[in-house]
Amino acid sequence: MRLRLRGPRVPGAGVTSEEPAGTVQENSEESGDEAVTGAQTATRVLSAPAIFAAPLVSAAATVRRRSQRVWWLPGWVFAAVTQFPALLAVAWLVPGIGTLLAGRLLPLPMLIIFVPLALALCYFAMRQAPVRWREPAVAQGAPGAADGAVRRRSDVPAVAVIATVAIATGFAVWQAVYHSGQVIVVSDPGVYLQYGYWIAVHGSARIPASAAAFGAVPGLNFGSTGFFTANGTITPAFMPGLPLVLAGGMWLAGLPGALLMAPVIGGCAVLSFAGLVGRLVGARWAPAGALVLAVLLPEQYVSRAPFAEPLVQVLLFGGLCLLADSFAGGPGFGGRGRGMAPAMLLAGLGGVALGLTVLVSIGSLSILLPAFPALALMFVLRRPQAGPFGIGLFAGVACSLYAGLVLARPYLSSISAELHLFGLSAGVFGLVTALVAPLAFPGVRRWVRRVFVARPWGRLPSLGSVVKWAAVVLPVLVVAGFAIRPYVQVTRGQTDPAVISYVADLQRLAHLPVDGRRQYYESSLDWVFWYLGIPAVLLAVAGAAALGWRWASAAAGERADREALTLARLWGLPILIIGWSVVTVLWDPAELPDQPWASHRLVPVVLPGLILLGLWGSSRLVAWAVAVGASRWTAVAVATCCVLAMAIPGAVTSLSPGLAARPSVGHSSSALAKFVSRVQFPGAGTSATYGGSLEAVSRLCSAIGQDASVVFVDAGTANSLSQVVRGVCGQPAASAAGASPLAISQVVGSIVRADRRPVLLGASRSQLAVFGASLGAMPRLVLSLHTAGDAAVLTGPPAGTWPVTYTVWMAAPAGLGSGGGL
């Protein structure tokens, strides 16, 4: 008789085949003890190779058995860590803007309010976070999924969570190593840093001009780059969201801490984007999304200096993640039986996060315009999330606009033309919202459905068929239109004399035809190709077409596709925001055209949106490969190729890999060692900028000393250092650029009569030599900084840096020594 063993086997241990087992049993019936001894010998022989493997296999089985009890943990951790940055930002910005409006921004009150608020938001949001999401037919196409099995609720692999967090952390560390030290006001990062420094030290956004420190002398200019003057007060030229975050870094570690806040926010932005990828495409694609975004030079560029775009990404992507989580479960919410209250809570928090993007950048108003027709459609479909989401969105936007009107009114007045254009766009979206509203009536919906599927005269295609094909063709036409734009249009229209001169200088440097009025906006799609690559754009077009085809097919009634409804809930608002932002930003970037500066306009939505659509297209390609019978490893290979096709072009632009002329190792080294030593990465992604600025500013403040009234005789020096002197050095500053020697002598005398010490600063010794005799002191060099800045290029991506020099000479009256310091 032959026994067939059932139940789990331990590979390599015990009996490894059925035949020997049967033989041993039959012999034991015939020959008694001798057969038993033979069976024991055979068992010892077969078990010997597995002596060391058996404990490991047993431990693995135990871990697998126990891990089944916490199957929900990876999904919950993924939801929590990708919500965390946006929740912390909301918890910091809400009390921060309140105390700043009151002129009482202080570290202790902020800490007392922020900590419990952050704990409360994280507790209530993460407690309700779903542990898995409806991923319609995506799990089958994801790397590592079961062989073609379609799962409506796929678990989140622990390795995907670990990889996502590791990539985001590595990105933050990378940017911290190569962070920019823009303490001197060169562009927006310097303005943001000085804004954050001032409110951290003084608790108010109102900067006094301190005209009394210069006596009663008219004609002095107290404004500078990024700072407006009105009614004796200096007002920063930006929204206060990012400066509030930089103020927290100031309180922690001074100016170095504020500078390192940019890499931290950049890492959080990558993490938030990966969370959105995991919710819309699949958790297994989240590390790919984080990787592709992390290797892009524009993302690195804005994460090394205090730019507003990464914080906008944190709030935007985090808000969309919270909204997607609110749709993850419906009744029962993730199978935990909590009803719709968690969904409404998450939707409300998502609306607040989206609304607060305006507090960081006024340009976010344009990004949020598609949210209003989407909100109307949510009300039409009677989604319980609509009310909380709308309230949170309107509350965040209203709070942000009120703060802007109070703290940055001169700045908003300076961009009134852009705000007027935004008003027109808002009117168009209001009309679309009004057209959506009648769909709330069932009779209107039935009539629209009949019109959608009807075929006029029996021969013409139905409106649904036309819409379906239009959804496929439209992304292709948009990209094709931007591709041929440089051949049919040359954009001109710059009117600022300083910008015209700057562009002309760059054109002469690059041996281009000199035309300072050119804006180069017709090449905006080329900017995307330089940084993201053509394969990613093609995959994004394919992904957008696939989404449109599926939605239109379901709406036309050609198939009952419940998964298409799930796609519409998750993708509806993100696809509207992506489509609107891509078209409007590429048509009119509204920035200086030099790279990498202009690339920061692509950062908030354009590049991440194309990556998101590209990963969706990749997932559909992998799913199609599985559907036609491809093996699991073939599907993994297809997914890997798609991700590499999206990541390699961006990495090449960022790193600019190349070979040195000679190896840095000795002649006796191997050929491989010589080759490796020749590999170099001199690109902008591995180049730090404006190093040494903090030390140079410290020396300047020490040279100026205390009780000084600083007068700049050079406009360029005044624009770069006026707020630095006023904020970091703590001394009043004004510009008398262009004034005659007699007028400046009168300013000096007025300062002396006001019991202050006059200090003149200029860019060269010759500018101050004429005042040396009247002041009784010869000019001396107080700041000489030779550093590196981003190389500005008009017709291609930047390949590195170029030298930048700052020189400041000072003249002060003899007998009035300087002292003190920072």
Side-chain angles (χ1 to χ4, degrees):
M1 182 179 66
R2 179 175 299 176
L3 298 178
R4 187 175 299 275
L5 302 178
R6 299 181 181 272
R9 292 186 182 180
V10 179
V15 180
T16 57
S17 68
E18 295 178 356
E19 188 65 32
T23 304
V24 169
Q25 186 159 356
E26 290 175 0
N27 289 342
S28 65
E29 294 176 355
E30 296 175 359
S31 56
D33 295 338
E34 183 179 352
V36 172
T37 303
Q40 293 175 349
T41 302
T43 302
R44 285 195 300 270
V45 172
L46 293 173
S47 300
I51 291 177
F52 296 102
L56 298 177
V57 173
S58 177
T62 302
V63 170
R64 183 185 306 173
R65 184 171 59 255
R66 293 182 177 179
S67 65
Q68 293 176 353
R69 302 176 184 175
V70 291
W71 58 268
W72 51 268
L73 185 59
W76 181 86
V77 171
F78 180 78
V81 298
T82 52
Q83 291 176 359
F84 189 66
L87 295 174
L88 287 185
V90 171
W92 182 262
L93 292 176
V94 170
I97 194 58
T99 54
L100 185 61
L101 287 170
R104 296 291 186 269
L105 182 67
L106 299 173
L108 184 58
M110 276 295 296
L111 185 65
I112 294 174
I113 301 173
F114 166 71
V115 172
L117 181 60
L119 291 177
L121 289 180
C122 293
Y123 172 77
F124 287 109
M126 297 178 182
R127 183 172 179 266
Q128 315 297 347
V131 298
R132 47 188 179 181
W133 291 263
R134 298 183 188 272
E135 300 180 36
V138 174
Q140 65 176 351
D147 298 334
V150 178
R151 299 181 296 172
R152 292 186 178 180
R153 290 178 177 265
S154 60
D155 297 335
V156 179
V159 66
V161 181
I162 297 172
T164 300
V165 175
I167 292 172
T169 304
F171 177 79
V173 173
W174 179 12
Q175 306 319 306
V177 171
Y178 295 105
H179 77 279
S180 176
Q182 288 196 42
V183 180
I184 299 173
V185 177
V186 181
S187 55
D188 292 3
V191 178
Y192 278 119
L193 185 68
Q194 293 302 323
Y195 191 172
Y197 183 92
W198 182 268
I199 63 175
V201 174
H202 300 276
S204 172
R206 300 298 183 184
I207 305 173
S210 302
F214 299 88
V217 179
L220 293 179
N221 180 18
F222 296 94
S224 59
T225 299
F227 294 89
F228 297 96
T229 56
N231 301 322
T233 302
I234 302 172
T235 305
F238 293 115
M239 299 294 284
L242 179 60
L244 283 170
V245 178
L246 298 179
M250 271 293 307
W251 292 332
L252 289 175
L255 274 173
L259 288 172
L260 288 177
M261 287 302 296
V264 173
I265 299 172
C268 292
V270 171
L271 185 61
S272 298
F273 175 69
L276 187 61
V277 172
R279 288 159 172 82
L280 301 187
V281 182
R284 292 172 176 82
W285 293 91
L291 176 64
V292 177
L293 183 64
V295 300
L296 297 188
L297 181 57
E299 191 72 24
Q300 299 164 20
Y301 175 65
V302 300
S303 298
R304 295 180 180 180
F307 279 90
E309 282 74 14
L311 186 55
V312 170
Q313 288 181 321
V314 169
L315 292 168
L316 177 63
F317 299 143
L320 292 176
C321 286
L322 289 166
L323 183 62
D325 289 346
S326 71
F327 288 116
F333 197 73
R336 289 183 286 175
R338 298 179 186 267
M340 292 308 301
M344 298 170 69
L345 172 65
L346 293 177
L349 291 175
V352 173
L354 290 177
L356 288 178
T357 58
V358 181
L359 186 65
V360 180
S361 172
I362 194 65
S364 299
L365 284 172
S366 177
I367 297 175
L368 296 181
L369 281 178
F372 297 102
L375 180 62
L377 190 59
M378 290 170 62
F379 276 109
V380 166
L381 298 177
R382 299 181 180 181
R383 300 295 178 194
Q385 295 91 343
F389 177 72
I391 293 172
L393 179 64
F394 282 105
V397 172
C399 174
S400 303
L401 290 178
Y402 177 75
L405 290 173
V406 173
L407 302 177
R409 185 180 292 271
Y411 165 62
L412 297 181
S413 299
S414 69
I415 58 171
S416 57
E418 290 82 354
L419 293 179
H420 178 70
L421 182 60
F422 162 77
L424 294 177
S425 301
V428 174
F429 274 92
L431 178 61
V432 173
T433 304
L435 293 177
V436 171
L439 294 176
F441 299 99
V444 176
R445 289 200 300 269
R446 288 194 295 268
W447 178 80
V448 171
R449 182 62 177 255
R450 288 196 300 269
V451 171
F452 201 74
V453 300
R455 299 185 61 182
W457 298 290
R459 296 181 180 180
L460 295 178
S462 65
L463 179 61
S465 300
V466 174
V467 170
K468 181 175 64 175
W469 285 104
V472 174
V473 174
L474 184 60
V476 179
L477 292 179
V478 169
V479 173
F482 281 114
I484 66 174
R485 186 184 178 192
Y487 301 100
V488 298
Q489 183 186 22
V490 176
T491 54
R492 295 183 178 90
Q494 188 57 252
T495 58
D496 189 341
V499 175
I500 292 174
S501 176
Y502 173 71
V503 173
D505 289 341
L506 292 180
Q507 290 169 337
R508 294 188 191 96
L509 188 64
H511 305 289
L512 297 172
V514 178
D515 183 1
R517 297 182 66 250
R518 279 202 65 179
Q519 297 172 306
Y520 294 92
Y521 292 169
E522 69 275 7
S523 302
S524 56
L525 184 61
D526 292 335
W527 302 356
V528 177
F529 289 156
W530 296 340
Y531 296 117
L532 185 57
I534 296 177
V537 175
L538 295 179
L539 285 171
V541 171
L547 278 173
W549 176 276
R550 190 162 186 178
W551 288 341
S553 298
E558 295 183 4
R559 59 179 182 178
D561 194 348
R562 297 181 59 185
E563 301 295 355
L565 299 178
T566 300
L567 277 176
R569 286 197 298 269
L570 296 179
W571 274 91
L573 181 56
I575 196 66
L576 289 176
I577 290 177
I578 292 170
W580 168 253
S581 297
V582 167
V583 172
T584 55
V585 171
L586 293 186
W587 179 256
D588 185 13
E591 270 299 347
L592 292 177
D594 60 299
Q595 307 294 330
W597 172 257
S599 69
H600 82 272
R601 287 284 288 136
L602 306 176
V603 170
V605 179
V606 175
L607 294 178
L610 293 176
I611 293 172
L612 184 63
L613 289 173
L615 291 175
W616 170 258
S618 301
S619 72
R620 303 317 306 144
L621 183 62
V622 176
W624 175 81
V626 172
V628 297
S631 66
R632 174 180 179 178
W633 292 109
T634 302
V636 171
V638 172
T640 303
C641 290
C642 290
V643 173
L644 291 178
M646 297 178 65
I648 289 178
V652 171
T653 301
S654 173
L655 303 177
S656 299
L659 297 177
R662 293 182 180 180
S664 58
V665 297
H667 296 287
S668 59
S669 302
S670 65
L672 179 60
K674 291 181 179 180
F675 175 79
V676 172
S677 67
R678 291 181 59 192
V679 176
Q680 294 182 339
F681 300 97
T686 55
S687 303
T689 57
Y690 301 101
S693 298
L694 186 59
E695 294 78 8
V697 168
S698 178
R699 291 192 297 269
L700 174 65
C701 293
S702 297
I704 292 174
Q706 302 298 320
D707 299 323
S709 294
V710 180
V711 179
F712 291 90
V713 300
D714 173 71
T717 307
N719 283 329
S720 298
L721 292 173
S722 287
Q723 185 56 34
V724 175
V725 171
R726 191 179 295 115
V728 180
C729 302
Q731 305 302 314
S735 173
S740 64
L742 178 61
I744 293 182
S745 298
Q746 293 175 349
V747 173
V748 171
S750 180
I751 293 173
V752 172
R753 288 191 296 272
D755 294 328
R756 304 281 298 181
R757 185 168 55 87
V759 173
L760 303 184
L761 297 182
S764 65
R765 181 187 184 94
S766 61
Q767 288 179 341
L768 298 177
V770 67
F771 310 110
S774 61
L775 291 174
M778 296 305 295
R780 60 191 179 97
L781 185 65
V782 293
L783 189 152
S784 180
L785 175 63
H786 302 277
T787 184
D790 297 295
V793 183
L794 292 173
T795 57
T801 60
W802 59 15
V804 175
T805 300
Y806 294 98
T807 303
V808 178
W809 290 76
M810 185 183 81
L816 297 175
S818 62
L822 285 176

